[in-house]
Amino acid sequence: NAGVTQTPKFRVLKTGQSMTLLCAQDMNHEYMYWYRQDPGMGLRLIHYSVGEGTTAKGEVPDGYNVSRLKKQNFLLGLESAAPSQTSVYFCASSYLDTQYFGPGTRLTVL
Amino acid sequence: DQQVKQNSPSLSVQEGRISILNCDYTNSMFDYFLWYKKYPAEGPTFLISISSIKDKNEDGRFTVFLNKSAKHLSLHIVPSQPGDSAVYFCAASYGQGAQKLVFGQGTRLTINP
Protein backbone atom coordinates (compact mmCIF):
# COMPACT_ATOMS: atom_id res chain seq x y z
CA ASN A 1 0.00 0.00 0.00
CA ALA A 2 1.97 2.99 -1.30
CA GLY A 3 -0.57 5.70 -0.38
CA VAL A 4 -0.04 8.79 -2.54
CA THR A 5 2.90 8.84 -4.95
CA GLN A 6 4.12 11.68 -7.15
CA THR A 7 6.24 11.60 -10.30
CA PRO A 8 8.80 13.10 -10.83
CA LYS A 9 10.45 14.12 -7.56
CA PHE A 10 12.51 16.90 -9.15
CA ARG A 11 12.38 18.73 -12.45
CA VAL A 12 14.07 21.75 -14.02
CA LEU A 13 12.31 23.48 -16.91
CA LYS A 14 13.10 26.41 -19.13
CA THR A 15 10.58 29.21 -19.49
CA GLY A 16 7.95 28.26 -22.03
CA GLN A 17 8.40 24.51 -21.76
CA SER A 18 5.54 22.25 -20.81
CA MET A 19 5.31 19.31 -18.45
CA THR A 20 2.90 17.07 -16.61
CA LEU A 21 3.10 16.04 -12.97
CA LEU A 22 1.52 12.71 -12.11
CA CYS A 23 -0.20 11.86 -8.85
CA ALA A 24 -1.38 8.34 -8.07
CA GLN A 25 -3.25 6.99 -5.06
CA ASP A 26 -4.11 3.42 -4.16
CA MET A 27 -6.63 4.13 -1.38
CA ASN A 28 -9.69 4.33 -3.66
CA HIS A 29 -10.31 7.93 -2.59
CA GLU A 30 -12.86 10.00 -4.46
CA TYR A 31 -11.30 13.39 -3.80
CA MET A 32 -7.89 14.49 -5.06
CA TYR A 33 -6.09 17.82 -4.81
CA TRP A 34 -3.07 19.72 -6.12
CA TYR A 35 -1.31 22.30 -3.93
CA ARG A 36 1.77 24.42 -4.29
CA GLN A 37 4.03 25.55 -1.47
CA ASP A 38 6.28 28.59 -1.72
CA PRO A 39 8.88 29.75 0.83
CA GLY A 40 7.31 31.40 3.88
CA MET A 41 3.83 30.49 2.75
CA GLY A 42 1.42 27.72 3.47
CA LEU A 43 0.14 25.32 0.87
CA ARG A 44 -2.27 26.85 -1.64
CA LEU A 45 -4.88 24.87 -3.52
CA ILE A 46 -4.46 24.88 -7.32
CA HIS A 47 -7.17 22.49 -8.53
CA TYR A 48 -9.14 19.63 -7.10
CA SER A 49 -11.36 16.76 -8.21
CA VAL A 50 -14.41 15.21 -6.57
CA GLY A 51 -14.34 12.09 -8.70
CA GLU A 52 -13.28 10.49 -11.97
CA GLY A 53 -13.86 12.83 -14.90
CA THR A 54 -14.38 15.93 -12.74
CA THR A 55 -12.11 18.87 -11.96
CA ALA A 56 -12.56 22.27 -10.31
CA LYS A 57 -10.50 25.40 -9.69
CA GLY A 58 -8.91 26.14 -6.37
CA GLU A 59 -7.34 29.31 -5.03
CA VAL A 60 -4.49 29.69 -7.57
CA PRO A 61 -5.50 27.90 -10.81
CA ASP A 62 -4.02 30.25 -13.42
CA GLY A 63 -1.33 28.70 -15.63
CA TYR A 64 -2.28 25.12 -14.73
CA ASN A 65 -4.60 22.49 -16.16
CA VAL A 66 -5.65 19.17 -14.63
CA SER A 67 -7.25 15.93 -15.69
CA ARG A 68 -8.74 12.97 -13.82
CA LEU A 69 -9.32 10.29 -16.42
CA LYS A 70 -8.94 7.46 -13.91
CA LYS A 71 -10.02 7.50 -10.28
CA GLN A 72 -6.55 6.72 -9.01
CA ASN A 73 -4.68 9.35 -11.05
CA PHE A 74 -4.71 13.15 -11.01
CA LEU A 75 -2.49 14.97 -13.51
CA LEU A 76 -1.29 18.56 -13.24
CA GLY A 77 -0.13 20.22 -16.45
CA LEU A 78 1.89 23.34 -17.11
CA GLU A 79 1.43 24.35 -20.76
CA SER A 80 3.99 27.16 -20.81
CA ALA A 81 6.09 27.26 -17.66
CA ALA A 82 7.01 30.58 -16.06
CA PRO A 83 9.59 31.36 -13.34
CA SER A 84 6.67 32.23 -11.00
CA GLN A 85 5.72 28.55 -11.11
CA THR A 86 8.93 27.54 -9.38
CA SER A 87 7.59 25.80 -6.30
CA VAL A 88 7.09 22.52 -4.50
CA TYR A 89 3.93 20.78 -5.65
CA PHE A 90 1.98 18.44 -3.40
CA CYS A 91 -0.80 16.13 -4.35
CA ALA A 92 -3.32 14.82 -1.82
CA SER A 93 -6.30 12.51 -1.72
CA SER A 94 -9.11 12.12 0.78
CA TYR A 95 -12.17 10.07 1.57
CA LEU A 96 -13.76 12.12 4.33
CA ASP A 97 -12.07 14.79 6.40
CA THR A 98 -8.43 13.74 6.29
CA GLN A 99 -6.17 14.47 3.35
CA TYR A 100 -3.18 12.24 2.68
CA PHE A 101 -0.30 13.94 0.95
CA GLY A 102 2.34 12.71 -1.44
CA PRO A 103 6.04 13.49 -0.95
CA GLY A 104 6.05 16.45 -3.33
CA THR A 105 7.66 17.48 -6.63
CA ARG A 106 10.25 20.24 -6.59
CA LEU A 107 9.96 22.21 -9.82
CA THR A 108 12.37 24.93 -10.91
CA VAL A 109 11.63 27.09 -13.93
CA LEU A 110 14.61 29.00 -15.29
CA ASP B 1 -5.69 38.39 2.26
CA GLN B 2 -4.32 35.72 4.58
CA GLN B 3 -7.37 33.95 6.00
CA VAL B 4 -5.32 31.64 8.24
CA LYS B 5 -2.29 33.05 10.02
CA GLN B 6 0.46 31.54 12.09
CA ASN B 7 2.33 34.54 13.41
CA SER B 8 5.28 32.68 14.88
CA PRO B 9 7.64 31.42 12.16
CA SER B 10 9.60 29.42 14.71
CA LEU B 11 9.43 28.09 18.25
CA SER B 12 12.09 26.45 20.39
CA VAL B 13 11.11 24.28 23.38
CA GLN B 14 13.04 22.11 25.77
CA GLU B 15 12.42 18.37 25.67
CA GLY B 16 9.77 17.33 28.17
CA ARG B 17 8.14 20.76 28.35
CA ILE B 18 4.91 21.88 26.71
CA SER B 19 4.90 23.23 23.15
CA ILE B 20 2.09 25.62 22.24
CA LEU B 21 1.54 26.54 18.60
CA ASN B 22 -0.98 29.23 17.72
CA CYS B 23 -3.16 29.96 14.73
CA ASP B 24 -5.64 32.74 13.95
CA TYR B 25 -8.28 32.87 11.24
CA THR B 26 -10.48 35.59 9.81
CA ASN B 27 -13.20 33.73 7.90
CA SER B 28 -16.12 32.95 10.22
CA MET B 29 -17.41 30.41 7.68
CA PHE B 30 -14.64 27.96 8.60
CA ASP B 31 -16.12 25.02 10.50
CA TYR B 32 -13.33 22.47 10.51
CA PHE B 33 -9.74 22.94 11.58
CA LEU B 34 -6.72 20.69 11.26
CA TRP B 35 -3.07 20.53 12.19
CA TYR B 36 -0.52 18.95 9.89
CA LYS B 37 3.09 18.12 10.63
CA LYS B 38 5.77 18.25 7.96
CA TYR B 39 9.31 16.90 7.94
CA PRO B 40 11.83 18.11 5.32
CA ALA B 41 11.46 16.51 1.87
CA GLU B 42 8.18 14.85 2.87
CA GLY B 43 4.53 15.70 2.42
CA PRO B 44 2.44 17.00 5.33
CA THR B 45 0.93 14.34 7.57
CA PHE B 46 -2.34 14.75 9.45
CA LEU B 47 -1.99 15.24 13.18
CA ILE B 48 -5.29 16.23 14.77
CA SER B 49 -8.49 18.06 13.90
CA ILE B 50 -11.42 19.79 15.53
CA SER B 51 -14.93 20.66 14.43
CA SER B 52 -16.37 24.07 15.20
CA ILE B 53 -19.00 22.48 17.43
CA LYS B 54 -16.25 21.54 19.89
CA ASP B 55 -13.73 23.60 21.81
CA LYS B 56 -11.22 20.87 22.58
CA ASN B 57 -9.99 17.65 21.06
CA GLU B 58 -7.34 15.38 22.52
CA ASP B 59 -5.24 12.60 21.02
CA GLY B 60 -2.45 11.31 23.20
CA ARG B 61 0.16 14.01 23.69
CA PHE B 62 -1.66 16.37 21.30
CA THR B 63 -4.57 18.64 22.21
CA VAL B 64 -6.18 21.24 20.00
CA PHE B 65 -8.19 24.09 21.51
CA LEU B 66 -10.64 26.23 19.55
CA ASN B 67 -11.86 29.65 20.63
CA LYS B 68 -14.48 30.63 18.07
CA SER B 69 -15.21 34.06 19.51
CA ALA B 70 -11.53 34.98 19.20
CA LYS B 71 -11.12 33.05 15.92
CA HIS B 72 -8.11 31.37 17.44
CA LEU B 73 -6.89 27.82 17.78
CA SER B 74 -3.87 26.33 19.42
CA LEU B 75 -2.04 23.02 19.44
CA HIS B 76 -0.54 21.80 22.70
CA ILE B 77 2.09 19.07 22.71
CA VAL B 78 2.99 17.65 26.09
CA PRO B 79 5.51 16.37 26.83
CA SER B 80 7.52 17.54 23.83
CA GLN B 81 9.90 15.00 22.30
CA PRO B 82 12.83 15.40 19.86
CA GLY B 83 10.81 13.65 17.14
CA ASP B 84 8.28 16.48 17.34
CA SER B 85 10.78 18.82 15.67
CA ALA B 86 9.09 19.69 12.37
CA VAL B 87 7.06 22.40 10.65
CA TYR B 88 3.45 22.53 11.84
CA PHE B 89 0.70 23.86 9.61
CA CYS B 90 -2.71 24.95 10.75
CA ALA B 91 -5.47 24.55 8.13
CA ALA B 92 -9.18 25.35 7.91
CA SER B 93 -12.11 24.47 5.68
CA TYR B 94 -15.87 24.83 5.45
CA GLY B 95 -18.82 23.21 3.78
CA GLN B 96 -19.51 19.69 2.61
CA GLY B 97 -17.87 17.69 -0.12
CA ALA B 98 -14.32 18.38 -1.23
CA GLN B 99 -12.21 19.72 1.60
CA LYS B 100 -10.71 22.91 0.20
CA LEU B 101 -8.11 23.55 2.84
CA VAL B 102 -6.69 27.01 3.56
CA PHE B 103 -3.29 26.74 5.23
CA GLY B 104 -1.34 29.01 7.53
CA GLN B 105 2.31 29.79 6.81
CA GLY B 106 3.62 27.19 9.22
CA THR B 107 5.64 27.26 12.46
CA ARG B 108 8.97 25.50 12.71
CA LEU B 109 9.15 23.73 16.07
CA THR B 110 12.55 22.73 17.44
CA ILE B 111 12.74 20.52 20.51
CA ASN B 112 16.04 20.90 22.34
CA PRO B 113 17.48 18.08 24.47
Side-chain angles (χ1 to χ4, degrees), chain A residues 76-98:
Chain A
L76 178 71
L78 286 74
E79 289 185 349
S80 179
S84 61
Q85 295 178 303
T86 293
S87 189
V88 181
Y89 292 85
F90 290 101
C91 174
S93 70
S94 70
Y95 168 56
L96 292 174
D97 294 331
T98 301

Side-chain angles (χ1 to χ4, degrees), chain B residues 1 16 35 47 52 66-67 69 71 75 78 80 100-101 111:
Chain B
D1 177 30
W35 285 93
L47 197 55
S52 61
L66 176 62
N67 182 334
S69 60
K71 294 191 177 67
L75 174 69
V78 55
S80 299
K100 299 183 285 293
L101 293 177
I111 306 301

Side-chain angles (χ1 to χ4, degrees), chain A residues 33 37 42 48 97 99 101-102, chain B residues 36 38 43-44 89 97 99-100 104:
Chain A
Y33 312 81
Q37 186 193 9
Y48 64 96
D97 294 331
Q99 291 188 24
F101 285 82
Chain B
Y36 279 83
K38 186 181 179 304
F89 289 98
Q99 189 188 46
K100 299 183 285 293

Side-chain angles (χ1 to χ4, degrees), chain A residues 10 90 103-104 106, chain B residues 38-43:
Chain A
F10 303 94
F90 290 101
R106 184 173 293 276
Chain B
K38 186 181 179 304
Y39 292 118
E42 295 183 10

Side-chain angles (χ1 to χ4, degrees), chain B residues 101-112:
Chain B
L101 293 177
V102 179
F103 282 82
Q105 308 97 306
T107 296
R108 182 178 301 278
L109 175 65
T110 302
I111 306 301
N112 302 308

Side-chain angles (χ1 to χ4, degrees), chain A residues 21-32:
Chain A
L21 282 67
L22 171 64
C23 175
Q25 53 98 1
D26 60 4
M27 297 174 281
N28 202 35
H29 287 165
E30 288 293 335
Y31 301 145
M32 296 188 74

